Amino acid sequence: MTEPLKHPLGLTDIHATSNSQQWFSRAKQVLAGGISSSARASTTGSLPYPLYIERGAGAHIWDVDGHEFVDYLLSYGAALLGHADSGLCTAVQRQLSRGTMFGTCNTVEVELAEQICAMVPGADLVRYANSGSEAISGAIRAARGFTGRNRILKFEGHYHGWVDILAISNRPSVTEAGPLEHPNSSPHSRGIPAGVSQDVIIAPWNHKNIIEHLLNQHGDELAAMILEPIVANNACIMPEEGLLPWLREQCDKRGILLIYDEIVTGFRLARGGAAQYFGVTPDLTIFSKAIGGGFPISAFAGRQAVMEQIGTNAVKHGGTYNGNPLCAAAALYTLRTVNEPGTLEAIHAKGRMCMDGIARAAYDAKVPCVVQGVGSMFQVIFNDDGKPLKHYRDLWLVNTQRYAKFRQSLLMQGIHANSSGSACWFVSAAHTAEDIDYTVRAIAAAMKDVH
Ligand code: PMP
């Protein structure tokens, strides 16, 4: 029997997290909203302030009050190898002592690109950036430059970053969304010019008839169709059987480039990402998060003819920090590890044990829900019919209170998962059998608190 974690949070005692509370008070004086990203605006369950994490090792993290958690947020999936992985630290320290960046070409960026091209189907040429949003901007510009067209088809609820070009209909409300057959292009934020929304056509995921209708209407104006192959930002909604090959065909018929946003799925689903996992190759793919193992690096890669737009400088792409040897060294180490037989298989297997644990606990506690995703990334959705979600709008019908209670109960037991039920859980190479065993037992207890 595994020992319980040493410091269960015990949120019944508010003073148990007083250091986090104080840090948030300080933060609000100097950081807008007290935070560094809108995604962190959510509080910790019943606490009106976030937990401040000061240390991580393997699959565990510690907050500033000394509580220990098994981590399934994993910096939104970036920490694929876990926190402070020793091999990754060595690779980075080696580069650190040789200089972090020179603003010149460097050998590590070349080795990394070779590694990406060897692993990813359809990756003939690569360019780097520093965040997901930035790499998306590069890929979209390349697609527009290649096709000479402006408009982009995006799926409702799919998230492609915070920058203007695609921050449209990320999470529209019932009133913003418009009719299912013709969804509105609804800006995600104030400050996005109307022209941006006009260039983005919104379609409902997994609705072939409606997608086809929209393609018939707008097909010859579209430079690209972009999608999250598994919708990490909509509780891991899966593509229905046959959807991706069908989308590939539709794009080919109309001269539209197919772009996979693999910022979450890349190097996590399979060595070659979603293209390998689902057997359908896009024209362009965007990577971030797992590629850097926790370091800020992103990349976009794809078909020679399209990437040559950038190669010849017909389409401009720049960036001071692009391909810097420090982050490239982190990514190279991470990808070599991912490429080793068994690395991803083991992560998936551990994740599936958590998914099965949730399903079993829900069955025993008679709580209706569905667990969707694949082992290394998944989410539980507390809906009444227990059926897999088809598209974003299904999330409107979900019992969010239940996820909040489930997550809160887990947090009190030392399990740290995303506070949003619309996002997902991530599993790393560093989770041990003991971590998973402890998590499954905590899940069983948490499910009893969900009613
Ligand atoms: N695409 C997807 C699928 C994402 O999950 C994210 C980040 N959550 C982004 C794009 C944007 O990446 P970044 O936050 O690094 O700009």
Side-chain angles (χ1 to χ4, degrees):
M1 180 88 153
T2 316
E3 283 293 306
L5 292 173
K6 286 193 202 80
H7 304 290
L9 186 51
L11 285 183
T12 43
D13 179 6
I14 198 85
H15 300 296
T17 52
S18 58
N19 286 340
S20 278
Q21 187 174 21
Q22 281 167 23
W23 274 106
F24 192 51
S25 302
R26 276 174 70 172
K28 279 190 294 189
Q29 305 302 313
V30 286
L31 285 169
I35 51 179
S36 298
S37 161
S38 296
R40 289 172 217 162
S42 54
T43 57
T44 304
S46 64
L47 289 180
Y49 48 86
L51 289 179
Y52 282 74
I53 302 300
E54 66 177 2
R55 187 163 71 85
H60 292 220
I61 52 174
W62 287 263
D63 73 5
V64 287
D65 291 282
H67 303 114
E68 180 180 359
F69 303 92
V70 185
D71 189 21
Y72 292 92
L73 181 69
L74 286 175
S75 45
Y76 302 92
L80 183 72
L81 306 181
H83 301 286
D85 173 82
S86 64
L88 182 58
C89 287
T90 305
V92 169
Q93 271 156 6
R94 185 171 169 272
Q95 186 59 50
L96 202 54
S97 62
R98 295 158 67 106
T100 57
M101 58 179 280
F102 312 105
T104 65
C105 296
N106 69 83
T107 57
V108 197
E109 67 181 2
V110 181
E111 287 179 280
L112 177 60
E114 287 168 351
Q115 186 73 35
I116 295 170
C117 292
M119 289 171 78
V120 177
D124 299 331
L125 292 169
V126 178
R127 271 290 172 100
Y128 301 113
N130 308 286
S131 68
S133 300
E134 237 186 291
I136 297 244
S137 308
I140 295 294
R141 186 182 282 180
R144 285 179 166 150
F146 180 75
T147 57
R149 300 169 177 179
N150 272 349
R151 293 183 121 173
I152 308 293
L153 185 139
K154 165 189 186 290
F155 291 91
E156 195 169 65
H158 291 215
Y159 182 68
H160 304 298
W162 73 277
V163 299
D164 282 5
I165 43 173
L166 289 173
I168 309 292
S169 296
N170 290 354
R171 203 155 281 174
S173 64
V174 178
T175 43
E176 288 164 340
L180 181 70
E181 294 69 28
H182 209 294
N184 291 337
S185 296
S186 172
H188 187 53
S189 161
R190 286 182 63 174
I192 297 178
V196 172
S197 314
Q198 281 155 21
D199 276 340
V200 181
I201 306 296
I202 301 297
W205 187 234
N206 279 328
H207 270 281
K208 278 189 186 173
N209 289 347
I210 300 177
I211 298 167
E212 189 165 20
H213 183 69
L214 290 167
L215 286 172
N216 287 340
Q217 238 181 318
H218 300 286
D220 55 6
E221 309 160 332
L222 290 172
M225 169 189 287
I226 187 166
L227 54 92
E228 286 187 68
I230 294 179
V231 197
N233 292 283
N234 289 176
C236 280
I237 297 178
M238 301 293 288
E240 282 180 356
E241 187 68 36
L243 180 74
L244 293 177
W246 181 81
L247 290 176
R248 177 72 273 183
E249 263 172 45
Q250 296 299 315
C251 285
D252 287 345
K253 264 197 336 210
R254 297 171 163 89
I256 302 168
L257 298 185
L258 180 63
I259 306 182
Y260 282 180
D261 176 345
E262 290 226 52
I263 285 168
V264 173
T265 52
F267 305 110
R268 174 172 284 282
L269 276 192
R271 292 178 189 84
Q276 183 188 341
Y277 190 87
F278 293 111
V280 177
T281 303
D283 298 292
L284 292 172
T285 309
I286 299 140
F287 298 106
S288 192
K289 301 202 196 276
I291 189 176
F295 279 75
I297 180 168
S298 59
F300 56 105
R303 238 183 343 118
Q304 178 106 17
V306 183
M307 291 300 290
E308 277 302 5
Q309 288 288 311
I310 289 181
T312 59
N313 232 6
V315 168
K316 302 276 188 297
H317 164 249
T320 303
Y321 301 101
N322 291 356
N324 71 74
L326 187 72
C327 293
L332 186 58
Y333 178 83
T334 303
L335 295 198
R336 283 179 177 160
T337 308
V338 166
N339 209 26
E340 278 165 20
T343 302
L344 291 184
E345 289 77 359
I347 298 176
H348 282 308
K350 287 180 282 189
R352 275 194 299 273
M353 287 167 87
C354 294
M355 292 173 77
D356 291 348
I358 296 175
R360 216 169 34 243
Y363 179 83
D364 290 346
K366 298 190 173 47
V367 177
C369 69
V370 58
V371 188
Q372 57 188 24
V374 295
S376 64
M377 53 185 280
F378 61 86
Q379 184 53 288
V380 53
I381 297 103
F382 294 100
N383 56 357
D384 287 341
D385 61 10
K387 288 200 183 132
L389 307 195
K390 184 178 168 88
H391 67 140
Y392 164 74
R393 295 184 188 208
D394 291 342
L395 282 167
W396 291 341
L397 308 173
V398 166
N399 187 327
T400 51
Q401 288 302 315
R402 285 195 167 150
Y403 184 79
K405 286 187 196 168
F406 181 63
R407 195 263 178 181
Q408 180 74 358
S409 170
L410 288 170
L411 195 68
M412 289 168 68
Q413 299 179 72
I415 305 291
H416 185 251
N418 201 311
S419 59
S420 165
S422 303
C424 52
W425 290 44
F426 294 105
V427 184
S428 76
H431 283 82
T432 62
E434 288 73 29
D435 292 329
I436 301 297
D437 180 57
Y438 179 80
T439 303
V440 168
R441 285 189 289 127
I443 284 169
M447 201 54 89
K448 295 186 186 132
D449 294 336
V450 156
H451 279 293

